[in-house]
Amino acid sequence: FAEVLLGKPLFPGRDAVSQLTLITDLLGKPAPHVIDRISNRKARAFLHAMPEKPGMPFEVKFPGADPEALALLKGLLSFDASERLTAAQALKLPFFKDLPEA
């Protein structure tokens, strides 16, 4: 969905390090307890060693995007899978209010 808004890949990393750097540029450095649940040892080490990094406001990354689309993106893009919206939760957001009921 983010790539539709941008018209290009959201995180076009060349390798794992550049991918994680691009992700953290947008989302910020994840909390230590989130990093600890990442299965890849090298990714965990890279993220733990990363200095604190705030995320980028979605309004900056996606200029001109509808606020309802930004709310959807914020719910879908999270390092912590337990914090991400499920499909059912996402469909209840105002972004989808004009869709017919199934």
Side-chain angles (χ1 to χ4, degrees), residues 78-98:
S78 174
F79 260 104
D80 189 345
S82 70
E83 293 179 2
R84 287 184 211 132
L85 294 175
T86 65
Q89 291 168 327
L91 287 171
K92 292 178 183 175
L93 292 178
F95 182 79
F96 295 109
K97 70 182 175 290
D98 294 331

Side-chain angles (χ1 to χ4, degrees), residues 19-73:
Q19 193 88 43
L20 286 170
T21 301
L22 291 170
I23 293 168
T24 56
D25 286 347
L26 179 61
L27 302 180
K29 180 181 177 178
H33 74 276
V34 174
I35 296 171
D36 290 340
R37 291 195 308 256
I38 294 173
S39 61
N40 184 289
R41 178 184 53 80
K42 289 181 180 179
R44 271 195 322 271
F46 175 78
L47 289 168
H48 273 303
M50 178 181 281
E52 288 304 313
K53 181 194 258 190
M56 175 187 299
F58 279 40
E59 296 79 8
V60 172
K61 181 70 174 176
F62 305 98
D66 184 285
E68 293 175 354
L70 294 176
L72 173 61
L73 281 174

